[in-house]
mmCIF file of all heavy atoms in Angstrom:
data_model
loop_
_atom_site.group_PDB
_atom_site.id
_atom_site.type_symbol
_atom_site.label_atom_id
_atom_site.label_comp_id
_atom_site.label_asym_id
_atom_site.label_seq_id
_atom_site.Cartn_x
_atom_site.Cartn_y
_atom_site.Cartn_z
ATOM 1 N N ASP H 1556 -12.647 -15.296 24.805
ATOM 2 C CA ASP H 1556 -12.632 -15.215 26.264
ATOM 3 C C ASP H 1556 -11.826 -13.998 26.880
ATOM 4 O O ASP H 1556 -11.995 -13.685 28.073
ATOM 5 C CB ASP H 1556 -11.954 -16.520 26.734
ATOM 6 C CG ASP H 1556 -12.903 -17.760 26.644
ATOM 7 O OD1 ASP H 1556 -14.072 -17.542 26.329
ATOM 8 O OD2 ASP H 1556 -12.472 -18.879 26.710
ATOM 9 N N LEU H 1557 -10.898 -13.389 26.015
ATOM 10 C CA LEU H 1557 -10.070 -12.316 26.568
ATOM 11 C C LEU H 1557 -10.853 -10.932 26.341
ATOM 12 O O LEU H 1557 -10.230 -9.896 26.578
ATOM 13 C CB LEU H 1557 -8.732 -12.246 25.917
ATOM 14 C CG LEU H 1557 -7.894 -13.613 26.179
ATOM 15 C CD1 LEU H 1557 -6.482 -13.251 25.554
ATOM 16 C CD2 LEU H 1557 -7.799 -13.862 27.565
ATOM 17 N N ILE H 1558 -12.045 -10.953 25.807
ATOM 18 C CA ILE H 1558 -12.789 -9.718 25.552
ATOM 19 C C ILE H 1558 -13.558 -9.333 26.889
ATOM 20 O O ILE H 1558 -14.120 -10.174 27.558
ATOM 21 C CB ILE H 1558 -13.855 -9.921 24.476
ATOM 22 C CG1 ILE H 1558 -13.076 -10.164 23.004
ATOM 23 C CG2 ILE H 1558 -14.732 -8.620 24.278
ATOM 24 C CD1 ILE H 1558 -13.926 -10.317 21.982
ATOM 25 N N GLU H 1559 -13.515 -7.964 27.144
ATOM 26 C CA GLU H 1559 -14.299 -7.475 28.212
ATOM 27 C C GLU H 1559 -15.352 -6.549 27.678
ATOM 28 O O GLU H 1559 -15.395 -6.195 26.551
ATOM 29 C CB GLU H 1559 -13.349 -6.712 29.222
ATOM 30 C CG GLU H 1559 -12.517 -7.547 30.137
ATOM 31 C CD GLU H 1559 -13.337 -8.407 31.078
ATOM 32 O OE1 GLU H 1559 -14.439 -7.968 31.552
ATOM 33 O OE2 GLU H 1559 -12.980 -9.562 31.376
ATOM 34 N N TYR H 1560 -16.355 -6.240 28.579
ATOM 35 C CA TYR H 1560 -17.470 -5.422 28.085
ATOM 36 C C TYR H 1560 -17.790 -4.308 29.068
ATOM 37 O O TYR H 1560 -17.702 -4.450 30.346
ATOM 38 C CB TYR H 1560 -18.774 -6.282 27.973
ATOM 39 C CG TYR H 1560 -18.550 -7.421 27.030
ATOM 40 C CD1 TYR H 1560 -17.993 -8.642 27.418
ATOM 41 C CD2 TYR H 1560 -18.932 -7.268 25.718
ATOM 42 C CE1 TYR H 1560 -17.777 -9.702 26.517
ATOM 43 C CE2 TYR H 1560 -18.778 -8.319 24.725
ATOM 44 C CZ TYR H 1560 -18.206 -9.500 25.216
ATOM 45 O OH TYR H 1560 -17.991 -10.576 24.213
ATOM 46 N N GLU H 1561 -18.185 -3.189 28.542
ATOM 47 C CA GLU H 1561 -18.693 -2.008 29.350
ATOM 48 C C GLU H 1561 -20.074 -1.663 28.818
ATOM 49 O O GLU H 1561 -20.242 -1.481 27.588
ATOM 50 C CB GLU H 1561 -17.756 -0.792 29.244
ATOM 51 C CG GLU H 1561 -16.344 -1.072 29.997
ATOM 52 C CD GLU H 1561 -15.491 0.118 30.022
ATOM 53 O OE1 GLU H 1561 -15.734 1.091 29.216
ATOM 54 O OE2 GLU H 1561 -14.589 0.145 30.837
ATOM 55 N N LYS H 1562 -20.916 -1.485 29.714
ATOM 56 C CA LYS H 1562 -22.390 -1.344 29.385
ATOM 57 C C LYS H 1562 -22.650 -0.196 28.384
ATOM 58 O O LYS H 1562 -23.361 -0.395 27.395
ATOM 59 C CB LYS H 1562 -23.179 -1.119 30.645
ATOM 60 C CG LYS H 1562 -24.752 -0.954 30.391
ATOM 61 C CD LYS H 1562 -25.491 -0.826 31.694
ATOM 62 C CE LYS H 1562 -26.947 -0.679 31.511
ATOM 63 N NZ LYS H 1562 -27.677 -0.472 32.788
ATOM 64 N N ASP H 1563 -22.157 0.939 28.636
ATOM 65 C CA ASP H 1563 -22.451 2.206 27.711
ATOM 66 C C ASP H 1563 -21.531 2.336 26.554
ATOM 67 O O ASP H 1563 -21.668 3.355 25.907
ATOM 68 C CB ASP H 1563 -22.430 3.409 28.607
ATOM 69 C CG ASP H 1563 -23.468 3.379 29.700
ATOM 70 O OD1 ASP H 1563 -24.553 2.756 29.387
ATOM 71 O OD2 ASP H 1563 -23.262 3.856 30.801
ATOM 72 N N ARG H 1564 -20.552 1.366 26.382
ATOM 73 C CA ARG H 1564 -19.652 1.624 25.301
ATOM 74 C C ARG H 1564 -20.309 1.223 23.912
ATOM 75 O O ARG H 1564 -21.019 0.285 23.814
ATOM 76 C CB ARG H 1564 -18.430 0.734 25.463
ATOM 77 C CG ARG H 1564 -17.210 1.038 24.548
ATOM 78 C CD ARG H 1564 -15.934 0.463 25.130
ATOM 79 N NE ARG H 1564 -14.835 1.060 24.521
ATOM 80 C CZ ARG H 1564 -14.215 2.217 24.870
ATOM 81 N NH1 ARG H 1564 -14.623 2.788 25.958
ATOM 82 N NH2 ARG H 1564 -13.166 2.799 24.167
ATOM 83 N N VAL H 1565 -19.951 2.050 22.838
ATOM 84 C CA VAL H 1565 -20.401 1.863 21.518
ATOM 85 C C VAL H 1565 -19.204 1.454 20.698
ATOM 86 O O VAL H 1565 -18.247 2.230 20.587
ATOM 87 C CB VAL H 1565 -21.088 3.044 20.892
ATOM 88 C CG1 VAL H 1565 -21.528 2.853 19.491
ATOM 89 C CG2 VAL H 1565 -22.291 3.549 21.743
ATOM 90 N N ALA H 1566 -19.231 0.191 20.094
ATOM 91 C CA ALA H 1566 -18.113 -0.223 19.305
ATOM 92 C C ALA H 1566 -18.072 0.571 17.988
ATOM 93 O O ALA H 1566 -19.118 1.034 17.403
ATOM 94 C CB ALA H 1566 -18.241 -1.673 18.993
#
Side-chain angles (χ1 to χ4, degrees):
D1556 287 348
L1557 300 187
I1558 295 177
E1559 284 295 326
Y1560 300 86
E1561 289 185 343
K1562 183 178 180 181
D1563 297 325
R1564 194 164 195 88
V1565 177

